Structure formats: structure tokens, C-alpha cells
């Protein structure tokens, strides 16, 4: 399925941040990286997609793949190159913003738009395979509807206005945001049969509904007044949304060709394929990792990537028991180790190495090339740890359900927020992630965070480090409580000021992490062989060796104390924490 050419990510430590996670723009992050404390700490930098022009879901609703000049400059890219830091970007394969040039053309020209088939009209997709309801939306036949994988409550659609006055439903798997401006008296000028007092009462009723985010269409007004009022309210509607693209359109693949060439010109060497598993859609199939369609699309993207000398990193969240990670890895792709964060918390909370070592040994035995992490811009994955029934047989997870629930309960007790999955009727069917900083998830214990970092750095794979974890960031409840699309994720996205950086660099938890990361980023041993030494379940001993270089981690999972013994240019050294 995949072509023979296969490049791998260089074996260094990867920073992960938004362009404005440090200070106000990317140049402030670069100033941090230029400090002597950060010398030789990072080889890679995963810059999140507010690097590009975007509007929703903190960058993952792309308007276009041009540089966001409010946050990024070409001088920034030059400075990162001088620091010898390779760049990793996202391409959000499944969707584009309603504000993208392509979707704006549809809103302007409707059926006459050259991009008419660039996105997926829900009703056109399900034509002859469902029934039209009173709202003008086709409800797929039950056997089709039950196969859909829902990332939010209700049908995955956003109704948008066409120039002919109709509203058309478009496929919208992920986020949307609909807002209504408040109605004022002047808006009701055309309603000449109403007195000023009646108009004032109408404004109060409608605006209270808007404030409380109630459905305006169910307000108790008589016809034909209700129809006129709905027209007025909808004329003041604004909306954002991540609109699913139609990968059967040649225009979409032309767009991918242009995009991969563009990100390469910005210095990209690693390209994360966000939401790629949702791209292929077919009546009668799921909308998640359909086969063989997803493989066909992935191969087409890889051919474009190879032309641009880009390494692909497909992003996929699914139950371990589904074994999709194994299938992707067997095709020669790097994979994300989304299992490690939950396993790390389980390991440290239970003081037991069994589950995490079983996974580490599987990585080595199966030759997986992974990128791992503790925290990230998203939540702490928990669905990924589960088992799954496949073809009538149950494949075990990395943890038992009771153990996963224990992890979730622990993080929630420490202030975390749960993200769930839903069925087509809007009923919760499963948990998905828990949103928290990794430091808060560990009970805001410095020694536990430091040991978690050490274990991560000794695990197989490229260690990706969330900027806020490095500075022991705590849950930001104020940001999470503000509401709006994806607000729960803001609990773990607090921007750090220059003073925060300076203050952090005076603390042991930051300086000790930097020392460990510098060792991981520069020591030759980490390009060699990993050995899992025999140890009691309450301890961990991991050794890396290459030529005369070695590094050994010895950790006590009950006390969280650990040491690192290593050889640097023939001289043995040790770190004790």
C-alpha cells in the first residue's frame, strides 16, 4: 500500500507549542530557545497550526496555509534554522474553515460555485439513502446512521445560507460555533402592525433566548409573525465551522499538492496528518478509518509528501484493541504513542511497572517508530487504552476498564474535565479524553513530574514536550470556564510571559527537566539499543547502549526517586533526583 521510500524523524527531543504560547508571538519562543539554558535541549519543534491563518479550535480550522503574520515572520523561520531545529507542522486533512476561500465561494455562488463539490453537502451525500425531515435534513437509514462515529452530540452538520435564500446542510464532523446578534427596535421596522411597546417586548424575549442560547425557533409567537421574526434573527446570525472536504474531488487533491509544497517552503520536514482517519466517507460504511479507502488516500498523500521530502506522522485516536496503530505502523509510518500519558499516570499512581513495560517491549518487538508525549495541546487520552471487540472476538486493552476509570477519576478529582463521544441521537457512548495539565493530573507533585519526564525520555520513540509541562503548569480553570467551542482544552494552554520563563528558570523542576532533556537530545547512546533490565514491579531499570556510550535509569515508583548513570565521551557521570 505505501511506497518503498521511508524517511524517519531524527532522534531528538521535540518542543510542542503554539506560536504565541510563550510571550505574544513566535519570536518570543525563539528568544527563549536562544537562552543558554536551552542550548542543545531541542532538535525539533512542533508548531501548532495558528502558525497558519485559522479561526476556530485554536488553529485546527484552517482558513488558508499562508503564514499568520500576526504571530509568525520569515525572520522567525530563519532563526529556527540557525538553531538547527527542524519543524513539524499540521495539515488538517479532513476539513477547512467556513472562512476558507473555497467555502466562501460556495456561500457567494451556491450551486454555481466552482467549489460546489469541494465540500460535502449532507443531503446530496445521503440522497436516496434516508428520509427528509421537517427541517429539510435527510436522516440516513438506521443501518447507515448507526455506523457513524460521532465526535459531538447530534448529526455532524452545519446549515449554511445559500444565495437563493435556502439553508443547506454541510458535513461538519468537528467543531462549529453559531452566534446571534441581539435584536434592536430598528430591526423590527418592517413589522408595521406592532406598537413600540410590543416591539420592545419582542426584543426582550428574543434577546433573553439568545443570551441563554435557547432555540429561537421554539419561542411562542403566532404565525405569520414567528416566520418574520425568524428571518430577522437569522439575518443577524454568524457562524464558524470546520467543514469536511470531499476527497473524491480532484480540486481537493490539487489543494493538497499546493499545501504540501507550501509548508515545505516554510521549512517543514515533518507533517502531522490531523484527522486523516475521517477523510474517507462512503454510504454504508463508518466515517472513521474506512478500508480500503483510508489506505488509498493515505498512499496518495504519501506520494505527494515524498515529492516534497516530507516525513508523515498520521494522527489517530482509537482503542488499543482495534489495533489501528499496528496497521499504520506496518505500512512504514511513524505513529503517535497516545498510550503513554495514561500508562504513565497509572504507573506512578499504582507504583507498578507492569503495564508500561509491556507496552514498551511491544514497541521494540514490533519495530514501531513512535513519537511519545506526556501532555499536549489536546487532552490526556483514555479511550486509546481500551480493549475492543472485533469480528466477535474481544481484543484486550493496555489496561482494564476499571484501571482506566481509576485514572479518569484521579484526574477529575484533581480538577480535570472529561471529553466524551456520542451516538447519532446525542447520547454519550464513551469517554474520550480528560483535559488537564500533566502536572495537575499528577497532583502537582514536582518529583512525580520529574520522574515522569525521565521515564518518557528513556522510552522508545521521539519525546515530544509540551511547553507548559516543562514549566510545571497548573490547570487554568478560568480559561476552561469561559465557555465557547473547545473551552475545556484551554485548561492546559496557558500562555507564559517572559517573566514566567525567567522565574521558571530559577526552579529545580524546570532546570532538572532541561538537564535530562539535554542528555536525551545529545547522548549517542539514545541512538542505540534499549534494554529493559529485570526489576521488581515497584521499580524501573532501563538502559540505552551504543558503542562506548550508555545511559541507565533506575527509578523507585513508590518514592519517585531515581538516578541516571551515563557515559559521556568515556567519562562516567551520574544524576540523582
Amino acid at each position: 500500500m505505501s511506497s518503498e521510500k521511508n524517511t524517519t524523524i531524527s532522534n531528538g527531543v521535540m518542543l510542542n507549542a503554539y506560536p504565541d504560547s510563550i510571550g505574544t508571538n513566535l519570536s518570543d519562543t525563539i528568544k527563549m530557545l536562544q537562552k543558554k539554558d536551552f542550548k542543545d535541549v531541542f532538535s525539533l519543534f512542533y508548531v501548532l497550526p495558528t502558525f497558519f491563518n485559522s479561526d476556530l479550535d485554536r488553529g485546527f480550522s484552517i482558513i488558508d496555509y499562508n503564514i499568520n503574520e500576526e504571530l509568525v515572520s520569515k525572520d522567525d523561520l530563519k532563526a529556527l534554522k540557525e538553531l538547527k531545529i527542524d519543524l513539524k507542522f499540521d495539515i488538517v486533512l479532513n476539513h477547512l474553515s467556513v472562512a476558507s476561500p473555497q467555502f466562501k465561494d460556495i456561500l457567494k455562488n451556491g450551486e454555481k460555485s466552482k467549489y460546489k463539490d469541494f465540500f460535502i453537502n449532507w443531503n446530496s451525500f445521503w440522497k436516496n439513502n434516508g428520509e427528509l425531515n421537517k427541517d429539510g435534513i435527510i436522516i440516513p437509514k438506521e443501518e447507515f446512521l448507526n455506523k457513524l462515529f460521532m465526535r459531538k452530540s447530534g448529526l455532524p452538520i452545519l446549515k449554511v445560507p445559500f444565495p437563493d435564500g435556502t439553508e443547506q446542510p454541510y458535513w461538519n464532523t468537528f467543531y462549529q460555533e453559531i452566534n446571534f446578534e441581539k435584536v434592536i427596535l430598528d430591526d423590527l421596522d418592517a413589522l408595521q402592525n406592532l406598537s413600540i411597546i410590543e416591539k420592545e417586548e419582542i426584543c426582550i424575549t428574543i434577546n433573553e433566548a439568545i443570551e441563554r442560547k435557547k432555540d429561537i425557533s421554539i419561542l411562542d409567537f403566532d404565525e405569520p409573525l414567528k416566520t418574520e421574526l425568524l428571518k430577522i434573527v437569522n439575518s443577524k446570525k454568524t457562524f464558524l465551522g470546520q467543514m469536511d472536504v470531499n476527497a473524491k474531488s480532484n480540486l481537493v487533491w490539487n489543494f493538497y499538492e499546493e499545501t504540501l509544497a507550501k509548508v515545505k517552503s516554510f521549512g517543514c520536514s515533518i507533517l502531522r496528518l490531523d484527522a486523516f482517519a475521517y477523510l474517507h466517507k462512503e454510504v454504508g460504511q463508518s466515517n472513521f478509518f474506512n478500508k480500503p479507502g483510508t489506505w488509498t488516500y493515505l498512499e496518495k498523500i504519501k506520494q505527494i509528501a515524498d515529492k516534497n521530502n516530507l516525513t508523515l506522522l498520521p494522527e489517530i485516536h482509537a482503542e488499543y484493541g482495534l489495533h489501528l496503530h499496528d496497521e499504520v505502523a506496518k505500512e512504514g509510518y511513524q505513529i503517535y504513542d497516545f498510550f503513554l500519558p495514561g500508562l504513565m499516570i497509572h504507573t506512578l499512581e499504582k507504583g507498578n511497572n507492569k503495564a508500561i513495560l509491556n507496552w514498551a517491549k511491544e514497541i521494540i518487538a514490533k519495530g514501531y517508530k513512535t513519537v511519545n508525549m506526556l501532555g499536549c495541546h489536546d487532552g490526556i487520552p483514555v479511550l486509546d487504552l481500551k480493549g475492543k471487540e472485533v469480528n466477535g472476538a474481544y481484543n484486550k486493552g493496555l489496561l482494564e476498564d476499571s484501571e482506566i476509570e481509576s485514572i479518569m477519576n484521579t484526574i477529575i478529582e484533581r480538577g480535570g474535565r472529561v471529553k466524551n463521544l456520542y451516538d447519532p441521537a446525542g447520547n454519550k457512548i464513551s469517554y474520550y479524553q480528560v483535559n488537564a495539565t500533566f502536572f495537575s493530573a499528577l497532583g502537582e507533585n514536582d518529583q512525580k513530574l520529574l520522574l515522569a519526564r525521565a521515564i518518557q525520555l528513556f522510552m522508545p520513540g521521539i519525546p515530544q514536550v509540551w511547553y507548559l509541562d516543562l514549566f510545571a503548569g497548573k490547570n487554568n480553570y478560568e480559561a476552561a470556564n469561559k465557555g465557547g467551542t473547545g473551552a475545556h482544552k484551554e485548561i492546559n494552554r496557558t500562555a507564559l510571559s517572559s517573566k514566567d520563563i525567567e522565574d521558571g528558570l530559577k526552579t529545580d523542576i524546570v532546570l532538572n527537566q532541561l538537564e535530562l532533556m539535554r542528555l536525551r537530545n545529545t547522548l549517542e547512546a539514545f541512538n542505540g539499543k534499549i534494554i529493559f533490565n529485570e526489576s521488581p514491579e515497584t521499580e524501573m531499570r532501563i538502559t540505552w547502549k551504543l558503542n562506548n556510550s550508555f545511559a541507565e535509569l533506575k527509578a523507585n515508583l513508590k518514592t519517585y526517586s531515581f538516578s541516571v548513570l551515563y557515559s559521556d565521551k568515556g567519562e562516567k557521570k551520574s544524576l540523582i533526583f
Side-chain angles (χ1 to χ4, degrees):
M1 294 174 185
S2 64
S3 52
E4 292 184 3
K5 181 178 179 181
N6 183 39
T7 56
T8 56
I9 299 172
S10 60
N11 190 37
V13 180
M14 181 187 298
L15 175 64
N16 180 203
Y18 288 97
D20 56 348
S21 290
I22 309 296
T24 59
N25 52 39
L26 188 57
S27 64
D28 289 328
T29 304
I30 291 168
K31 289 173 187 174
M32 180 190 78
L33 293 172
Q34 290 169 335
K35 292 178 180 292
K36 61 180 177 59
D37 301 277
F38 285 83
K39 181 175 172 56
D40 295 329
V41 170
F42 294 109
S43 295
L44 303 141
F45 185 5
Y46 171 23
V47 191
L48 286 154
T50 49
F51 181 98
F52 309 112
N53 294 313
S54 60
D55 59 11
L56 189 67
D57 193 22
R58 194 70 186 273
F60 287 89
S61 182
I62 300 290
I63 295 172
D64 62 51
Y65 285 89
N66 296 323
I67 288 175
N68 177 358
E69 295 181 356
E70 292 183 4
L71 301 180
V72 182
S73 73
K74 291 185 178 179
D75 286 342
D76 296 333
L77 303 181
K78 181 180 178 182
L80 287 167
K81 188 174 183 180
E82 289 172 354
L83 286 168
K84 294 182 171 55
I85 293 177
D86 290 334
L87 296 178
K88 168 183 160 188
F89 294 140
D90 280 280
I91 180 172
V92 187
L93 285 180
N94 181 70
H95 47 264
L96 280 175
S97 167
V98 295
S100 64
Q102 295 90 341
F103 204 84
K104 286 173 73 174
D105 193 271
I106 289 178
L107 295 177
K108 179 181 179 181
N109 298 306
E111 294 292 327
K112 296 179 181 178
S113 171
K114 69 174 287 190
Y115 296 104
K116 176 178 173 289
D117 296 323
F118 195 96
F119 300 91
I120 304 173
N121 183 304
W122 176 268
N123 283 355
S124 298
F125 183 91
W126 293 106
K127 186 177 180 181
N128 300 324
N129 290 289
E131 292 187 6
L132 196 69
N133 71 5
K134 62 181 179 59
D135 296 318
I137 299 167
I138 291 179
I139 306 300
K141 295 176 182 177
E142 188 174 356
E143 64 265 31
F144 301 148
L145 190 61
N146 289 340
K147 290 184 178 181
L148 295 184
F149 184 79
M150 300 297 188
R151 290 296 302 266
K152 59 189 178 188
S153 177
L155 292 177
I157 59 172
L158 176 63
K159 293 180 76 173
V160 300
F162 262 37
D164 62 3
T166 63
E167 280 198 318
Q168 297 293 324
Y170 272 78
W171 204 311
N172 166 236
T173 295
F174 291 87
Y175 289 114
Q176 60 176 250
E177 188 173 291
I178 301 173
N179 294 300
F180 295 91
E181 292 181 32
K182 287 187 175 182
V183 175
I184 60 176
L185 283 174
D186 289 350
D187 295 324
L188 307 184
D189 281 348
L191 305 178
Q192 298 178 357
N193 295 330
L194 300 177
S195 68
I196 292 294
I197 293 175
E198 288 174 320
K199 290 179 180 179
E200 287 176 344
E201 290 175 349
I202 288 171
C203 287
I204 291 170
T205 300
I206 290 175
N207 291 338
E208 283 181 352
I210 289 173
E211 284 182 4
R212 296 175 183 176
K213 298 190 179 298
K214 288 186 175 180
D215 184 354
I216 308 296
S217 66
I218 64 173
L219 292 180
D220 188 19
F221 293 111
D222 294 331
E223 291 291 358
L225 176 60
K226 184 173 183 177
T227 298
E228 292 302 316
L229 291 175
L230 287 175
K231 286 181 181 178
I232 292 168
V233 171
N234 284 327
S235 72
K236 297 168 74 71
K237 179 174 73 174
T238 59
F239 53 89
L240 296 172
Q242 297 162 291
M243 312 311 292
D244 291 35
V245 301
N246 174 21
K248 294 180 180 179
S249 167
N250 289 332
L251 288 176
V252 168
W253 290 97
N254 292 341
F255 174 73
Y256 291 157
E257 289 266 8
E258 295 166 5
T259 299
L260 267 63
K262 184 177 291 185
V263 297
K264 181 63 179 180
S265 74
F266 297 150
C268 178
S269 58
I270 305 154
L271 191 62
R272 177 181 182 270
L273 303 182
D274 184 75
F276 85 93
Y278 296 87
L279 184 61
H280 185 269
K281 297 177 178 70
E282 197 73 51
V283 172
Q285 295 188 26
S286 168
N287 55 325
F288 179 79
F289 216 112
N290 294 331
K291 304 172 189 176
T294 299
W295 290 121
T296 301
Y297 289 166
L298 195 52
E299 173 59 19
K300 288 181 71 173
I301 284 289
K302 190 174 190 305
Q303 289 173 4
I304 302 170
D306 286 347
K307 287 192 295 185
N308 291 280
N309 196 27
L310 293 168
T311 298
L312 296 182
L313 182 58
E315 178 254 1
I316 182 169
H317 283 285
E319 298 93 337
Y320 171 87
L322 201 56
H323 294 316
L324 286 181
H325 64 283
D326 191 49
E327 292 184 44
V328 173
K330 284 178 178 177
E331 292 302 314
Y333 294 98
Q334 303 272 345
I335 60 170
Y336 265 114
D337 183 355
F338 286 127
F339 311 108
L340 182 63
L343 289 173
M344 187 72 73
I345 293 170
H346 172 80
T347 298
L348 297 182
E349 294 301 319
K350 301 301 181 184
N352 189 295
N353 67 24
K354 185 177 179 181
I356 198 169
L357 284 181
N358 284 343
W359 168 237
K361 290 172 182 177
E362 181 180 339
I363 294 173
I364 298 303
K366 294 189 175 181
Y368 295 154
K369 304 297 181 184
T370 62
V371 173
N372 64 45
M373 68 201 71
L374 299 180
C376 67
H377 71 281
D378 223 338
I380 296 169
V382 283
L383 172 79
D384 305 63
L385 299 168
K386 285 173 64 68
K388 184 75 172 179
E389 184 175 317
V390 180
N391 298 325
Y394 185 77
N395 296 331
K396 291 185 65 175
L398 288 169
L399 294 175
E400 299 294 333
D401 285 353
S402 60
E403 293 173 318
I404 299 170
E405 288 169 10
S406 176
I407 292 170
M408 291 177 60
N409 290 335
T410 297
I411 301 172
I412 292 166
E413 287 169 5
R414 293 168 177 170
R417 309 288 173 89
V418 178
K419 167 71 175 175
N420 293 315
L421 298 175
Y422 299 87
D423 66 16
N427 303 308
K428 174 192 165 184
I429 57 172
S430 177
Y431 47 76
Y432 185 62
Q433 297 175 338
V434 186
N435 293 96
T437 71
F438 210 79
F439 184 54
S440 289
L442 290 174
E444 298 178 2
N445 182 310
D446 285 8
Q447 189 63 23
K448 284 167 78 173
L449 178 62
L450 189 61
L451 176 55
R453 179 70 65 214
I455 295 172
Q456 179 204 10
L457 296 173
F458 271 78
M459 284 288 288
I462 307 302
Q464 179 177 292
V465 177
W466 183 233
Y467 76 99
L468 200 55
D469 291 347
L470 175 56
F471 288 89
K474 298 179 181 180
N475 287 344
N476 187 337
Y477 301 111
E478 182 181 356
N481 290 336
K482 281 184 178 178
T485 302
H488 56 285
K489 297 181 182 180
E490 296 303 314
I491 200 170
N492 185 32
R493 296 175 175 177
T494 305
L496 301 179
S497 66
S498 298
K499 185 177 185 304
D500 292 328
I501 302 304
E502 292 300 329
D503 291 346
L505 289 172
K506 297 173 185 175
T507 64
D508 288 342
I509 185 57
V510 175
L511 293 175
N512 288 337
Q513 283 187 84
L514 288 172
E515 185 172 15
L516 289 169
M517 289 157 58
R518 185 179 296 108
L519 179 69
R520 172 63 179 78
N521 195 55
T522 58
L523 193 68
E524 185 183 26
F526 288 103
N527 288 309
K529 181 181 179 181
I530 186 172
I531 301 166
F532 301 104
N533 303 293
E534 288 296 323
S535 63
E537 288 187 348
T538 57
E539 298 177 10
M540 284 188 77
R541 289 185 61 195
I542 304 175
T543 302
W544 284 86
K545 286 184 178 181
L546 182 66
N547 301 323
N548 294 322
S549 177
F550 78 92
E552 182 181 51
L553 170 70
K554 293 182 180 179
N556 186 311
L557 301 178
K558 290 291 189 180
T559 65
Y560 315 125
S561 59
F562 66 97
S563 64
V564 175
L565 179 66
Y566 66 98
S567 66
D568 184 16
K569 299 176 182 176
E571 181 182 357
K572 289 186 177 181
K573 299 180 181 181
S574 63
L575 301 170
I576 300 175
F577 300 97

